[in-house]
Amino acid sequence: MRIAILGAGAWGSALAASFAPSHEVTLWSRSREDCDILRATRQSRYLPGIALPASVRIEPSLAAAIGACELALVATPTSGLRATLAAAGRALAGKPLVWACKGFEDATGQLPHEVAAQAAPGAGAMGALSGPSFALEVARGQPTAVVLASRDASFARSTAAALNSPRLRIYSNDDLTGVELGGALKNVVAIAAGISDGLALGRNARAALVTRGLAEISRLGTAMGGRPETFMGLAGLGDLVLTCTGELSRNREVGVRLAQGGRLPEVLDALGHVAEGVQSARAASEHARARSLEMPITEAVCAVLFEGRAAPEAVRQLLTRDPRPE
């Protein structure tokens, strides 16, 4: 398959490295300087020590990257999805389109499929690639399982089958909304888990956060149209466990640094990567309030991120909530 990967950050570069042995891959970056560096060094600054296969074509022209592709795969952050699709314009007409970003769009609170429907109305079948997957491990070829979701079940099955490999196993799913919500909401819980770890509250506390966090994800996820079983799968529980416990988790790292006294702007600057959970926390809280849903972990994370509440105080308020039936 001829695949155009739009976005040469950590995730786009990792997918390019993973797909290159079996597919014809073009990797696009909006920065001509980054393209020149990638051509010269075959290494992404976001994935130190990982060499891009020589077969991966580096392309600074968006139209040229998409031109002959059989699948366009957007690997920008969610914040860049709308602009990338709008810039692609007519080049996407009739082209199958998949995005590999997670979270809500900051300005609108929309999920990626809602953004794509507005920004690329002429594209062909659409879907989302999600699940428990650190970019560095995918780039290294370490075993990973993810899910490709589309409301077009046939497209999800055929594309997942075409992209599947022994090291990157891809399952199909037709619950697009649920898969996207699982990918967005787990990052919020991961910030809470990082706060817990940063305060050295122990593994018991982390397990409690993961479990009750999954309850929050399922509560809001089903209210917004996802299926309950989706949140027990790769895009729900699987991604939640990885992001709350893995040392490579950017969102968990945000929580750890906040618990250690860091201020959010400095934490995000030091991180050097996008942490989608920060903006997703605000959007999740707004979606929950619109539906009169209780989301205590999400509200505690928002209080630390946006209201100046100290991490220990936010944890104390969670721990002193009245007990209730599970």
Side-chain angles (χ1 to χ4, degrees):
M1 182 184 291
R2 294 188 300 276
I3 305 170
I5 297 178
L6 311 181
W11 194 211
S13 299
L15 290 172
S18 182
F19 292 146
S22 303
H23 303 279
E24 186 179 321
V25 176
T26 297
L27 181 63
W28 170 82
S29 172
R30 67 179 179 178
S31 166
R32 186 171 290 274
E33 181 183 358
D34 282 353
C35 286
D36 291 341
I37 292 171
L38 283 170
R39 284 200 196 98
T41 66
R42 308 305 296 181
Q43 290 203 10
S44 167
R45 60 191 170 96
Y46 300 103
L47 291 173
I50 301 297
L52 279 176
S55 62
V56 174
R57 182 166 68 95
I58 310 302
E59 179 56 67
S61 165
L62 188 54
I66 297 170
C69 80
E70 297 169 292
L71 176 69
L73 198 163
V74 184
T76 66
T78 302
S79 59
L81 177 61
R82 188 183 295 273
T84 300
L85 295 178
R90 293 181 180 177
L92 284 171
K95 300 278 188 182
L97 173 66
V98 171
W99 46 89
C101 50
K102 301 173 183 178
F104 299 94
E105 186 179 46
D106 185 26
T108 65
Q110 292 179 329
L111 289 166
H113 77 266
E114 297 172 304
V115 174
Q118 294 172 358
M126 297 184 181
L129 187 69
S130 191
S133 49
F134 287 144
L136 184 59
E137 294 190 3
V138 171
R140 287 172 174 164
Q142 293 176 277
T144 302
V146 294
V147 59
L148 196 153
S150 174
R151 288 174 176 161
D152 182 337
S154 176
F155 170 70
R157 286 193 300 270
S158 62
T159 306
L163 297 178
N164 185 68
S165 70
R167 294 293 182 177
L168 183 61
R169 293 188 54 78
I170 303 180
Y171 294 79
S172 62
N173 191 313
D174 63 359
D175 182 12
L176 178 58
T177 298
V179 164
E180 287 187 326
L181 285 165
L185 299 173
K186 57 90 182 181
N187 284 331
V188 182
V189 182
I191 294 175
I195 290 172
S196 176
D197 289 348
L199 294 173
L201 298 183
R203 293 177 177 85
N204 292 351
R206 185 202 291 164
L209 276 170
V210 170
T211 307
R212 297 312 304 161
L214 180 60
E216 286 195 16
I217 291 171
S218 300
R219 188 181 307 137
L220 179 57
T222 53
M224 291 183 67
R227 295 198 301 262
E229 62 269 23
T230 298
F231 305 111
M232 299 299 116
L234 288 167
L237 178 60
D239 213 356
L240 177 65
V241 170
L242 179 70
T243 313
C244 288
T245 62
E247 296 297 326
L248 293 174
S249 168
R250 299 189 299 269
N251 291 282
R252 176 183 172 276
E253 183 64 18
V254 167
V256 169
R257 296 189 185 199
L258 289 172
Q260 294 171 345
R263 296 178 63 251
L264 183 60
E266 287 78 15
V267 167
L268 296 179
D269 280 346
L271 201 62
H273 293 268
V274 174
E276 300 279 16
V278 174
Q279 299 305 331
S280 290
R282 195 193 305 272
S285 175
E286 290 172 355
H287 282 297
R289 288 177 183 174
R291 293 163 176 80
S292 300
L293 297 176
E294 283 195 351
M295 302 276 283
I297 296 173
T298 300
E299 291 302 324
V301 169
C302 284
V304 174
L305 292 175
F306 309 121
E307 298 169 19
R309 186 172 302 169
E313 174 62 15
V315 170
R316 186 195 68 78
Q317 292 184 353
L318 280 175
L319 293 175
T320 56
R321 283 171 52 83
D322 291 338
R324 61 192 65 193
E326 186 179 30

mmCIF file of all heavy atoms in Angstrom, residues 12 15-16 25 28 74 79 82 103 116 123 155-156 176 211 229 270 287 294:
data_model
loop_
_atom_site.group_PDB
_atom_site.id
_atom_site.type_symbol
_atom_site.label_atom_id
_atom_site.label_comp_id
_atom_site.label_asym_id
_atom_site.label_seq_id
_atom_site.Cartn_x
_atom_site.Cartn_y
_atom_site.Cartn_z
ATOM 1 N N GLY A 12 4.417 9.932 14.028
ATOM 2 C CA GLY A 12 4.485 9.777 12.585
ATOM 3 C C GLY A 12 5.751 9.063 12.148
ATOM 4 O O GLY A 12 5.725 8.180 11.270
ATOM 5 N N LEU A 15 5.489 5.313 13.059
ATOM 6 C CA LEU A 15 4.635 4.570 12.128
ATOM 7 C C LEU A 15 5.325 4.396 10.781
ATOM 8 O O LEU A 15 5.209 3.341 10.147
ATOM 9 C CB LEU A 15 3.300 5.291 11.966
ATOM 10 C CG LEU A 15 2.377 5.247 13.180
ATOM 11 C CD1 LEU A 15 1.162 6.152 12.976
ATOM 12 C CD2 LEU A 15 1.920 3.820 13.482
ATOM 13 N N ALA A 16 6.057 5.408 10.348
ATOM 14 C CA ALA A 16 6.805 5.281 9.094
ATOM 15 C C ALA A 16 7.814 4.147 9.189
ATOM 16 O O ALA A 16 7.942 3.323 8.274
ATOM 17 C CB ALA A 16 7.506 6.597 8.772
ATOM 18 N N VAL A 25 6.101 4.149 1.837
ATOM 19 C CA VAL A 25 5.755 5.188 2.810
ATOM 20 C C VAL A 25 6.386 6.521 2.427
ATOM 21 O O VAL A 25 7.589 6.608 2.142
ATOM 22 C CB VAL A 25 6.220 4.794 4.230
ATOM 23 C CG1 VAL A 25 5.932 5.927 5.221
ATOM 24 C CG2 VAL A 25 5.530 3.508 4.678
ATOM 25 N N TRP A 28 5.570 13.265 5.524
ATOM 26 C CA TRP A 28 5.499 14.708 5.288
ATOM 27 C C TRP A 28 5.718 15.474 6.575
ATOM 28 O O TRP A 28 5.200 15.115 7.640
ATOM 29 C CB TRP A 28 4.135 15.070 4.720
ATOM 30 C CG TRP A 28 3.877 16.560 4.678
ATOM 31 C CD1 TRP A 28 4.292 17.446 3.737
ATOM 32 C CD2 TRP A 28 3.158 17.337 5.659
ATOM 33 N NE1 TRP A 28 3.878 18.723 4.056
ATOM 34 C CE2 TRP A 28 3.182 18.689 5.227
ATOM 35 C CE3 TRP A 28 2.507 17.016 6.863
ATOM 36 C CZ2 TRP A 28 2.574 19.713 5.952
ATOM 37 C CZ3 TRP A 28 1.905 18.037 7.583
ATOM 38 C CH2 TRP A 28 1.937 19.372 7.124
ATOM 39 N N VAL A 74 -2.905 10.862 9.214
ATOM 40 C CA VAL A 74 -2.496 12.090 9.891
ATOM 41 C C VAL A 74 -1.962 11.741 11.273
ATOM 42 O O VAL A 74 -2.661 11.151 12.093
ATOM 43 C CB VAL A 74 -3.665 13.088 10.019
ATOM 44 C CG1 VAL A 74 -3.169 14.386 10.646
ATOM 45 C CG2 VAL A 74 -4.281 13.371 8.652
ATOM 46 N N SER A 79 -4.407 19.167 17.988
ATOM 47 C CA SER A 79 -4.448 20.612 17.755
ATOM 48 C C SER A 79 -4.070 20.977 16.327
ATOM 49 O O SER A 79 -4.413 22.060 15.848
ATOM 50 C CB SER A 79 -3.504 21.321 18.734
ATOM 51 O OG SER A 79 -2.173 20.846 18.584
ATOM 52 N N ARG A 82 -7.062 19.913 12.196
ATOM 53 C CA ARG A 82 -7.905 20.735 11.318
ATOM 54 C C ARG A 82 -7.055 21.495 10.295
ATOM 55 O O ARG A 82 -7.384 21.514 9.094
ATOM 56 C CB ARG A 82 -8.745 21.713 12.151
ATOM 57 C CG ARG A 82 -9.786 22.469 11.327
ATOM 58 C CD ARG A 82 -10.542 23.481 12.180
ATOM 59 N NE ARG A 82 -11.334 22.840 13.218
ATOM 60 C CZ ARG A 82 -12.575 22.392 13.051
ATOM 61 N NH1 ARG A 82 -13.173 22.504 11.873
ATOM 62 N NH2 ARG A 82 -13.230 21.845 14.066
ATOM 63 N N GLY A 103 -7.514 12.913 21.745
ATOM 64 C CA GLY A 103 -7.900 14.072 22.531
ATOM 65 C C GLY A 103 -9.005 14.873 21.861
ATOM 66 O O GLY A 103 -9.482 14.543 20.777
ATOM 67 N N ALA A 116 -12.568 16.119 11.384
ATOM 68 C CA ALA A 116 -12.298 15.616 10.034
ATOM 69 C C ALA A 116 -13.513 15.773 9.131
ATOM 70 O O ALA A 116 -13.382 16.105 7.946
ATOM 71 C CB ALA A 116 -11.873 14.153 10.104
ATOM 72 N N ALA A 123 -13.063 13.726 1.617
ATOM 73 C CA ALA A 123 -12.232 12.523 1.762
ATOM 74 C C ALA A 123 -13.100 11.271 1.666
ATOM 75 O O ALA A 123 -14.322 11.324 1.774
ATOM 76 C CB ALA A 123 -11.487 12.558 3.082
ATOM 77 N N PHE A 155 -14.280 -0.942 5.867
ATOM 78 C CA PHE A 155 -13.032 -0.189 5.748
ATOM 79 C C PHE A 155 -12.119 -0.482 6.933
ATOM 80 O O PHE A 155 -10.902 -0.679 6.768
ATOM 81 C CB PHE A 155 -13.329 1.305 5.666
ATOM 82 C CG PHE A 155 -12.111 2.186 5.774
ATOM 83 C CD1 PHE A 155 -11.182 2.228 4.747
ATOM 84 C CD2 PHE A 155 -11.908 2.967 6.904
ATOM 85 C CE1 PHE A 155 -10.048 3.035 4.847
ATOM 86 C CE2 PHE A 155 -10.784 3.779 7.009
ATOM 87 C CZ PHE A 155 -9.849 3.815 5.980
ATOM 88 N N ALA A 156 -12.685 -0.515 8.145
ATOM 89 C CA ALA A 156 -11.874 -0.808 9.332
ATOM 90 C C ALA A 156 -11.218 -2.175 9.215
ATOM 91 O O ALA A 156 -10.021 -2.340 9.489
ATOM 92 C CB ALA A 156 -12.734 -0.728 10.590
ATOM 93 N N LEU A 176 -16.311 4.140 16.470
ATOM 94 C CA LEU A 176 -15.353 5.234 16.305
ATOM 95 C C LEU A 176 -15.407 6.200 17.484
ATOM 96 O O LEU A 176 -14.368 6.611 18.018
ATOM 97 C CB LEU A 176 -15.636 5.967 14.993
ATOM 98 C CG LEU A 176 -14.756 7.175 14.666
ATOM 99 C CD1 LEU A 176 -13.287 6.799 14.627
ATOM 100 C CD2 LEU A 176 -15.182 7.806 13.339
ATOM 101 N N THR A 211 -8.593 2.236 38.384
ATOM 102 C CA THR A 211 -9.897 1.576 38.409
ATOM 103 C C THR A 211 -11.033 2.584 38.414
ATOM 104 O O THR A 211 -11.991 2.478 37.635
ATOM 105 C CB THR A 211 -10.002 0.662 39.640
ATOM 106 O OG1 THR A 211 -8.884 -0.227 39.655
ATOM 107 C CG2 THR A 211 -11.285 -0.145 39.601
ATOM 108 N N GLU A 229 -18.366 -1.916 25.963
ATOM 109 C CA GLU A 229 -17.312 -2.903 25.755
ATOM 110 C C GLU A 229 -16.046 -2.282 25.152
ATOM 111 O O GLU A 229 -14.936 -2.810 25.335
ATOM 112 C CB GLU A 229 -17.805 -4.054 24.874
ATOM 113 C CG GLU A 229 -18.238 -3.667 23.473
ATOM 114 C CD GLU A 229 -19.716 -3.327 23.358
ATOM 115 O OE1 GLU A 229 -20.327 -2.960 24.389
ATOM 116 O OE2 GLU A 229 -20.254 -3.447 22.235
ATOM 117 N N ALA A 270 9.378 22.069 29.541
ATOM 118 C CA ALA A 270 10.449 21.097 29.794
ATOM 119 C C ALA A 270 10.150 19.767 29.134
ATOM 120 O O ALA A 270 11.069 19.035 28.748
ATOM 121 C CB ALA A 270 10.640 20.913 31.302
ATOM 122 N N HIS A 287 -17.875 18.544 29.006
ATOM 123 C CA HIS A 287 -18.823 17.553 28.487
ATOM 124 C C HIS A 287 -19.574 16.871 29.639
ATOM 125 O O HIS A 287 -20.781 16.600 29.529
ATOM 126 C CB HIS A 287 -18.087 16.504 27.654
ATOM 127 C CG HIS A 287 -17.725 16.961 26.280
ATOM 128 N ND1 HIS A 287 -18.677 17.309 25.334
ATOM 129 C CD2 HIS A 287 -16.514 17.129 25.672
ATOM 130 C CE1 HIS A 287 -18.065 17.670 24.200
ATOM 131 N NE2 HIS A 287 -16.755 17.570 24.388
ATOM 132 N N GLU A 294 -21.008 13.087 37.345
ATOM 133 C CA GLU A 294 -19.944 13.275 38.325
ATOM 134 C C GLU A 294 -18.642 12.704 37.785
ATOM 135 O O GLU A 294 -18.585 11.547 37.377
ATOM 136 C CB GLU A 294 -20.295 12.600 39.659
ATOM 137 C CG GLU A 294 -21.289 13.356 40.495
ATOM 138 C CD GLU A 294 -21.313 12.849 41.932
ATOM 139 O OE1 GLU A 294 -20.680 11.796 42.203
ATOM 140 O OE2 GLU A 294 -21.949 13.486 42.768
#
